[in-house]
């Protein structure tokens, strides 16, 4: 086995282990949008509501905890729109609070059926031919970029630091990039396989931090599904305008077994 293939298989094993975390995306069992009236939601302890700025919970006698501390009275959560959520613990489940225009709560249950039956993610066989060289071209200043979502009527706003240009079969392509992990980039895209062998709405390509001259490596073998490919309880963004590749990227993750 080549080092290239072995590295990819080790990456895939880590990726699937992350997906199988007991309170991860595959553990989602519900999604509820909060209103301005305090109320209870089926199967979720406490009373929950929102206003224009924050979400709130009153434990109403339930045993809840946040950041290691019991919630003994009303608790306020003011979060960044389209940003990271926060978790409230209730027994062996975690109630995620997130802001997606309005506020939502969703339950991560380690006994979830999707998690229990998870058997990995189908993917194309790895090929060095899908490791391409590109160049990151930063904007003069990062641009707020609004994109749609898999939930009708919802939108997300992300910061785009620039674009990535690369060539395939002598043709140049340009993709808008968002900020990724560890100084890297994240590219949401669709291509000729979308809705055929890969999830229709989107895939995500992580890209390492650009070199001093802006050069980057695009390894489409590591293109991954977003959470919405596995569960209906995710609010994933759609790719920005122009991020459709007019050829089939036969690399990376395919449509999950859960959607077949």
């Amino acid at each position: 086995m080549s080092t290239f293939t072995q590295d990819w298989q080790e990456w895939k094993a880590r990726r699937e282990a992350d997906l199988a975390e007991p309170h991860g995306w595959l553990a989602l069992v519900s999604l509820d949008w909060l209103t301005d009236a305090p109320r209870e939601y089926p199967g979720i302890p406490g009373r929950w509501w929102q206003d224009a700025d924050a979400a709130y919970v009153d434990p109403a006698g339930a045993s809840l905890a946040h950041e290691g501390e019991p919630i003994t009275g009303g608790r306020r959560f003011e979060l960044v729109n389209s940003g990271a959520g926060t978790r409230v613990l209730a027994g062996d489940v975690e109630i995620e609070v997130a802001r997606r225009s309005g506020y939502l709560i969703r339950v991560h249950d380690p006994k979830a059926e999707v998690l229990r039956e998870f058997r990995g993610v189908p993917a194309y066989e790895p090929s060095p031919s899908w490791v391409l060289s590109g160049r990151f071209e930063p904007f003069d200043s990062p641009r707020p970029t609004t994109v749609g979502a898999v939930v009708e009527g919802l939108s997300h706003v992300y910061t785009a630091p620039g674009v990535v240009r690369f060539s395939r079969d002598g043709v140049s392509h340009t993709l808008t990039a968002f900020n990724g992990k560890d100084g890297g980039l994240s590219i949401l895209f669709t291509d000729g396989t979308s809705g055929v062998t890969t999830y229709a709405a989107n895939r995500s390509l992580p890209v390492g931090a650009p070199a001093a001259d802006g050069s980057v490596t695009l390894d489409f073998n590591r293109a991954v599904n977003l959470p919405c490919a596995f569960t209906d309880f995710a609010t994933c963004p759609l790719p920005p305008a122009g991020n459709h590749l007019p050829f089939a990227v036969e690399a990376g993750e395919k449509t999950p077994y859960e959607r077949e």
Side-chain angles (χ1 to χ4, degrees):
M1 182 188 300
S2 69
T3 300
F4 175 84
T5 299
Q6 184 175 348
D7 287 348
W8 180 84
Q9 289 183 344
E10 291 173 355
W11 165 83
K12 187 173 189 290
R14 292 193 301 271
R15 157 73 172 161
E16 292 178 340
D18 288 343
L19 282 170
E21 284 289 321
H23 293 98
W25 288 108
L26 301 186
L28 282 173
V29 295
S30 67
L31 183 156
D32 292 286
W33 293 93
L34 302 185
T35 68
D36 56 5
R39 55 163 289 195
E40 297 178 354
Y41 291 84
I44 303 176
R47 293 169 58 81
W48 301 80
W49 70 99
Q50 68 168 9
D51 60 22
D53 301 314
Y56 303 83
V57 63
D58 173 359
S63 178
L64 303 178
H66 181 248
E67 297 181 345
E69 298 291 334
I71 299 177
T72 56
R75 181 65 61 93
R76 182 178 189 270
F77 309 100
E78 184 169 354
L79 303 174
V80 175
N81 190 35
S82 297
T86 190
R87 302 282 183 103
V88 172
L89 275 60
D92 62 349
V93 305
E94 294 183 358
I95 305 166
E96 178 188 3
V97 186
R99 189 173 190 174
R100 302 292 184 264
S101 298
Y103 280 87
L104 61 84
I105 53 174
R106 48 192 172 191
V107 174
H108 297 251
D109 185 343
K111 300 185 295 294
E113 181 180 1
V114 171
L115 180 59
R116 187 175 64 249
E117 297 184 357
F118 180 58
R119 50 195 175 103
V121 187
Y124 287 99
E125 289 299 314
S127 170
S129 67
W130 283 107
V131 182
L132 308 178
S133 296
R135 185 168 301 278
F136 173 64
E137 299 179 1
F139 297 135
D140 291 337
S141 59
R143 299 177 183 175
T145 303
T146 301
V147 297
V150 294
V151 176
E152 186 175 353
L154 187 64
S155 62
H156 296 272
V157 180
Y158 296 107
T159 299
V163 299
V164 169
R165 298 188 191 278
F166 71 98
S167 293
R168 171 79 174 170
D169 296 331
V171 179
S172 179
H173 303 280
T174 304
L175 297 170
T176 297
F178 294 137
N179 292 315
K181 295 181 178 179
D182 302 322
L185 305 167
S186 176
I187 297 176
L188 296 178
F189 73 98
T190 54
D191 66 274
T193 69
S194 301
V196 183
T197 56
T198 65
Y199 184 59
N202 47 33
R203 284 194 290 169
S204 176
L205 181 67
V207 178
D213 64 355
S215 60
V216 293
T217 298
L218 307 176
D219 186 352
F220 283 98
N221 296 287
R222 303 195 180 193
V224 298
N225 291 311
L226 274 69
C228 52
F230 301 95
T231 175
D232 292 332
F233 303 123
T235 60
C236 297
L238 299 177
N243 273 30
H244 176 77
L245 295 173
F247 55 88
V249 178
E250 295 179 326
E253 292 185 345
K254 297 181 178 180
T255 304
Y257 296 119
E258 292 80 3
R259 297 292 189 185
E260 291 180 348

